[in-house]
Structures are given as C-alpha cells and as structure tokens.
Amino acid sequence: METQPKIIVLCGGKFAFPTLQALGFEKYLNGVAIASDSKIICDSLEKECNQNNLNYKKLHSKNEVDDLLNWFLEIKPDYIFSISFPYLITEKVLAYGEKKFINFHPAKLPEFRGPMPIFETLKYQETETAVAVHYMDECFDSGEIIFQDKVIINSNETYGSLAVKLSKQTANSALNLANMLAFASKIPTTIQDEDEANFYEKPSNFDTFIKWKQMSAQEIEALVNACNPWNIGADTVYMGNQVKLIKITCNNLPHNAIPGTILKINEDATFNIACAENDQITVKLLKVDEGIIEAQDFIKSKEIINTAFL
C-alpha cells in the first residue's frame, strides 16, 4: 500500500490497551470497538477516543455484531484487528473485505484455540507460548496464520503474569504487522493443520477443581498458577467448605497417605498435602470463607494433621 493503512481494533478489555497505545502513537489507529461488561474500562476508553478524535463503538451483546458492518462502511478502515474480542464475527460482517480481518490470539495455533488459552497453556505445563497472528474466517481461531511471535513461559508463571507478558507482545506484534501491511507487497500465510488443532471452551468449575487422587504435585501447581488471579486459585473442599489454593510449591517428598491428606506443618508455618504420585505440595496462601489468608492463619484455626482436602 502507498498510504498508511487505517486500522480499527475490536477488543474485549484492558488486554488490548498496550496495542491501542502503540498503534495510536504511530497514527495507524482509526477507531475502537469494545465488548466489555466493565463500565470503568468502557468509559475510560470512550473518553480517550473522544480526546484523540478516534471513532468509538460499544457493543452490549453478540446480537450487535452485525451492526459493525454499517460502522465499517461509514469509516472505511483498511484493516480490522481483533484482540480479545469475545464475539464471533459473522459472515455478513466479514464480507466487508477479504483478508481485512486479523486476529491476535494469545497462544500457539492450532494447538490452543478457544477463548481462554492462557489457562490451558499453563495447566498443561507448556514452556513457551505465542501471539498467533492470523486472518479471520467464520470460525474461531482457524484462519490462515501470518506469523507467530514466541513468548517464553517462566517457572511459576501465573495466568496474570503471562497475560501481562502476552499483552505487551501483542502490541509489538500488531505494530509489526501494521508496518508490514503498509509497506509489503505481499503477506505470506500458512494454513493451519487441523490434525493438530484443539479447541478449549472457557474453563468450568470442573476444570478448576483439584483432583487429589489423580494429580501429581506438579500438575496441581500448574493448575493453581493457571487459576491465579482470574479464579483466585484452584478449587478444593476442606471439612465441607470451599477452599481455593492460591500459592503453593511442589516437592518430591514421598508419603504413604491418601492423596489430599495434610501430612506436616513446616517450621515456616506452611503445611504439606499428599498428592497422587507419591509427592507433596506445600501450601503458602489460600482462600477460605473468611477471606484470603496465609497458611499460618489456617493452621492456627484448626487441628489439621491427618485431615484431608477432597
């Protein structure tokens, strides 16, 4: 293209904000459409758009997706970037233009399709992930891939820390793509291998619940990190009450107890729980009915040795 492309961003919240700032600074950003339940986020974004003479649209439900077409026809953007946008773009709206819709997916494709891939990425103990940039079609996360920018996952990475890291990388990826679209004569793509594809729905209560009789210490630690902070922690039950484990570490200490059994109180006022593969976790922080507490406060309130989480 001979002129700088005009780009509209469809987003679902603050994950997209670094990208909006990057594209806005380089004068690529022409408008923003947001689908979010947060009034604070929406009001703040609308104010910023008004101050910077950017087009703004708020979607209240997926039933309003088709309304985007008239908005696009009025503004005439060259490309539409989608970043954490929660609704499927309909064929009616995609008809605005072939290869004008581009999604920035916060996980490797096609292995981790779905609305919350950061959860599965951590749960399955991946050591790296990616921002997958791809053209959009009538299905979620299935279009031709333009490129994937690798992101390393650190030890003890939580959902929150990885989301922040991916948000920053998405801004870099979006700016790189905008420059490509402005100056490249052709954008190469790769068709996704459907034999490698997995689609994960939004995690349910079953997905966030610790299965003590099945899960090793390492698997439990991965689940706890994958649930922090969006679900506060991984779910379990103690003495008939819901508990969430927020911060734990795993160790290789053997035991002869039923998984879920509290084995030991440590000198630093943490405590150990037996896991399925003859190893243990050490609990440091958890949520109970009274609130978020350190392990030492949980210990003070109960006689816990040889009792069990279910």
Side-chain angles (χ1 to χ4, degrees):
M1 296 182 63
E2 297 182 356
T3 59
Q4 193 168 21
K6 296 194 301 182
I7 296 171
I8 281 178
V9 173
L10 310 180
C11 67
K14 62 182 181 180
F15 185 92
F17 282 14
T19 300
L20 299 179
Q21 293 173 343
L23 294 177
F25 183 80
E26 296 295 335
K27 308 300 182 184
Y28 284 115
L29 189 63
N30 192 245
V32 182
I34 185 170
S36 172
D37 294 330
S38 172
K39 187 176 186 302
I40 294 175
I41 289 176
C42 292
D43 289 349
S44 174
L45 184 58
E46 183 176 15
K47 181 179 178 181
E48 288 294 321
C49 287
N50 290 336
Q51 289 178 347
N52 292 280
N53 296 315
L54 297 172
N55 296 284
Y56 174 82
K57 186 174 181 62
K58 170 74 170 72
L59 281 76
H60 299 88
S61 75
K62 64 180 180 180
N63 296 327
E64 298 180 357
V65 169
D66 282 350
D67 297 340
L68 288 170
L69 180 58
N70 289 333
W71 193 56
F72 295 156
L73 292 172
E74 178 184 345
I75 299 170
K76 296 181 174 59
D78 296 298
Y79 296 97
I80 297 94
F81 287 3
S82 175
I83 301 172
S84 68
F85 191 68
Y87 305 138
L88 183 67
I89 304 301
T90 62
E91 290 187 44
K92 176 181 178 180
V93 177
L94 290 172
Y96 174 75
E98 184 180 2
K99 293 192 174 181
K100 288 184 177 293
F101 293 82
I102 300 167
N103 186 44
F104 294 78
H105 185 71
K108 292 185 290 186
L109 288 176
E111 296 91 337
F112 290 95
R113 296 174 179 174
M116 285 182 63
I118 298 173
F119 173 80
E120 282 81 21
T121 296
L122 290 174
K123 178 181 177 182
Y124 294 119
Q125 303 174 58
E126 296 289 307
T127 57
E128 64 179 49
T129 185
V131 174
V133 183
H134 66 95
Y135 286 115
M136 299 171 68
D137 57 23
E138 65 277 5
C139 299
F140 278 119
D141 309 325
S142 62
E144 295 179 17
I145 294 173
I146 302 171
F147 59 82
Q148 302 201 61
D149 283 330
K150 183 170 68 174
V151 174
I152 299 298
I153 299 175
N154 296 332
S155 176
N156 295 321
E157 193 95 64
T158 67
Y159 187 104
S161 65
L162 185 54
V164 170
K165 189 183 295 185
L166 285 163
S167 176
K168 293 177 181 178
Q169 180 57 55
T170 298
N172 293 331
S173 301
L175 189 56
N176 288 340
L177 179 62
N179 290 329
M180 289 173 61
L181 295 170
F183 301 110
S185 59
K186 182 178 180 181
I187 305 296
T189 61
T190 302
I191 296 174
Q192 295 192 40
D193 184 351
E194 291 300 318
D195 290 336
E196 299 293 327
N198 297 298
F199 186 91
Y200 298 96
E201 298 289 351
K202 185 176 180 179
S204 66
N205 291 339
F206 178 82
D207 297 313
T208 63
F209 207 89
I210 299 171
K211 287 82 173 175
W212 292 103
K213 294 182 179 180
Q214 304 170 21
M215 299 175 70
S216 68
Q218 192 171 11
E219 289 172 327
I220 294 172
E221 183 181 39
L223 179 62
V224 169
N225 290 337
C227 291
N228 185 5
W230 70 273
N231 194 55
I232 303 178
D235 294 299
T236 185
V237 172
Y238 181 79
M239 298 296 185
N241 297 311
Q242 182 183 17
V243 175
K244 292 177 181 286
L245 302 188
I246 301 173
K247 187 175 182 180
I248 69 168
T249 56
C250 57
N251 55 61
N252 295 318
L253 296 175
H255 64 82
N256 295 309
I258 296 173
T261 302
I262 299 175
L263 301 170
K264 177 185 177 183
I265 297 175
N266 303 307
E267 292 182 359
D268 61 356
T270 59
F271 60 92
N272 291 2
I273 306 176
C275 303
E277 294 186 6
N278 200 31
D279 51 15
Q280 305 176 31
I281 61 168
T282 299
V283 178
K284 299 181 177 181
L285 193 68
L286 61 166
K287 181 183 180 298
V288 295
D289 288 343
E290 292 81 4
I292 295 174
I293 61 173
E294 294 182 349
Q296 61 183 0
D297 295 318
F298 184 81
I299 293 167
K300 290 176 183 177
S301 65
K302 300 173 177 66
E303 294 290 334
I304 67 171
I305 296 298
N306 293 325
T307 60
F309 288 85
L310 302 177

